[in-house]
Amino acid sequence: AGPVDVLVTRGGRSARLSAAFRYEGPPELLRVSPPEGPTAGGTAVLVDGRGFRPGLVAALDGVALETAWLSDRRVAFVTPPHPRGPASLALTNPDAQQAVRAEAFYFWPPPRLDAVEPIVGPDSGGTRVRVTGADLRAPGAVYFAQRAGLEVEVDPDGRGAWFSSPVHPEGTVDLSWFNPDGQSAVLEAAWRFLGPPFADAVEPPVVSRCGGGLATLIGRNFVAEMEVRVGGRAAEVLEIAPDGSSALIRVPAGASGPTTVEVRNPDGRSFRDGGLLSYGVRPVVRS
């Protein structure tokens, strides 16, 4: 490769034109950036190398692409839609010389989220969470609404991942997963951040002192694993509303008059009040 002189000889006489002709070597492909993208296409790709000539055409798996020649060392193109898997890249100069690299670019489908376990945790964060699905890739990122999950670990087969919940105000939020190529998946209203339990009413507010009666705690942040004590005695938790706003309990026996209600969630946070519930006074027959 390079310039050469042209020498013409006739009848013992000659003429020379210096650097009159140039031999071009084939293009050389050194780097593809990024080396992967979504199957939907649309990824802007830069190719670095040497010997790129104006008019060079890039092709993925034999499909020619609209190619931008930036310099003799760089060209660019945008990926088309393509099935999942690797694609070969060919760079062809106008003189038909080529550089070819097998599996130069990999097309990935979007990730999929199927389930999350557990589905609730304290607003103080730190709960270890597991998601399952497909095509989850490292380094992946997970978000609880707008706050990123921590310590993300992706399974080698891409079918699951572990991470820790962040500190977040109480409430139900979407869970979003992002792959390195920007493709994402969302589980709507998949996770609930719990504040401390709180009850602002009990219905009915008066129950039989003999025990066994049903009462409903009305408040927030109730969970199935919580413990309820009435007057210091354990109450049976029968049913929790899906949004944690109420809990049906079976009240134990107790002494007549006002009694304390205590709720303790699995994270150790609790609520206690002595004015929400009373045991009824035993009737007296006088005549």
Side-chain angles (χ1 to χ4, degrees):
V4 295
D5 297 345
V6 174
L7 177 66
V8 178
T9 301
R10 180 179 181 220
R13 301 176 66 186
S14 64
R16 179 186 299 271
L17 188 60
S18 298
F21 187 84
R22 180 181 181 85
Y23 284 97
E24 300 285 2
E28 185 177 356
L29 194 162
L30 299 178
R31 185 177 65 177
V32 178
S33 180
E36 59 187 25
T39 54
T43 302
V45 179
L46 289 176
V47 182
D48 294 314
R50 286 190 287 264
F52 300 159
R53 306 302 168 202
L56 176 146
V57 175
L60 283 172
D61 280 347
V63 178
L65 309 175
E66 183 176 344
T67 308
W69 182 86
L70 305 178
S71 72
D72 63 347
R73 293 178 177 268
R74 174 169 284 186
V75 295
F77 60 85
V78 176
T79 60
H82 189 282
R84 173 180 183 155
S88 64
L89 174 62
L91 303 178
T92 305
N93 272 339
D95 61 6
Q97 294 189 94
Q98 280 189 331
V100 179
R101 178 178 292 182
E103 300 185 4
F105 192 89
Y106 199 96
F107 287 90
W108 288 99
R112 188 185 78 232
L113 291 180
D114 295 332
V116 57
E117 178 67 30
I119 60 173
V120 64
D123 55 7
S124 56
T127 302
R128 202 62 179 157
V129 183
R130 170 79 174 170
V131 291
T132 54
D135 295 308
L136 308 179
R137 297 170 46 225
V142 64
Y143 283 83
F144 296 75
Q146 302 301 318
R147 300 197 181 184
L150 310 173
E151 302 171 338
V152 181
E153 299 175 5
V154 183
D155 295 353
D157 62 5
R159 295 183 179 180
W162 288 96
F163 46 87
S164 297
S165 62
V167 176
H168 193 286
E170 65 180 68
T172 300
V173 298
D174 295 345
L175 193 68
S176 304
W177 179 272
F178 291 86
N179 272 346
D181 59 13
Q183 296 187 97
S184 63
V186 179
L187 284 177
E188 296 182 354
W191 177 267
R192 182 157 61 98
F193 284 98
L194 281 178
F198 178 80
D200 52 17
V202 179
E203 293 292 341
V206 180
V207 294
S208 168
R209 63 185 299 277
C210 301
L214 301 182
T216 300
L217 306 181
I218 300 172
R220 64 178 184 271
N221 298 326
F222 299 145
V223 294
E225 300 80 7
M226 72 182 188
E227 297 178 358
V228 178
R229 304 185 74 83
V230 177
R233 298 180 177 88
E236 182 183 0
V237 180
L238 302 176
E239 185 178 331
I240 304 291
D243 62 358
S245 62
S246 65
L248 180 66
I249 65 171
R250 191 181 304 280
V251 182
S256 300
T259 188
T260 59
V261 175
E262 182 179 4
V263 180
R264 181 177 295 275
N265 274 352
D267 60 13
R269 293 186 290 182
S270 62
F271 166 85
R272 180 185 175 93
D273 192 283
L276 298 178
L277 183 66
S278 294
Y279 282 107
V281 178
R282 177 183 299 201
V284 177
V285 177
R286 298 192 183 280
S287 63

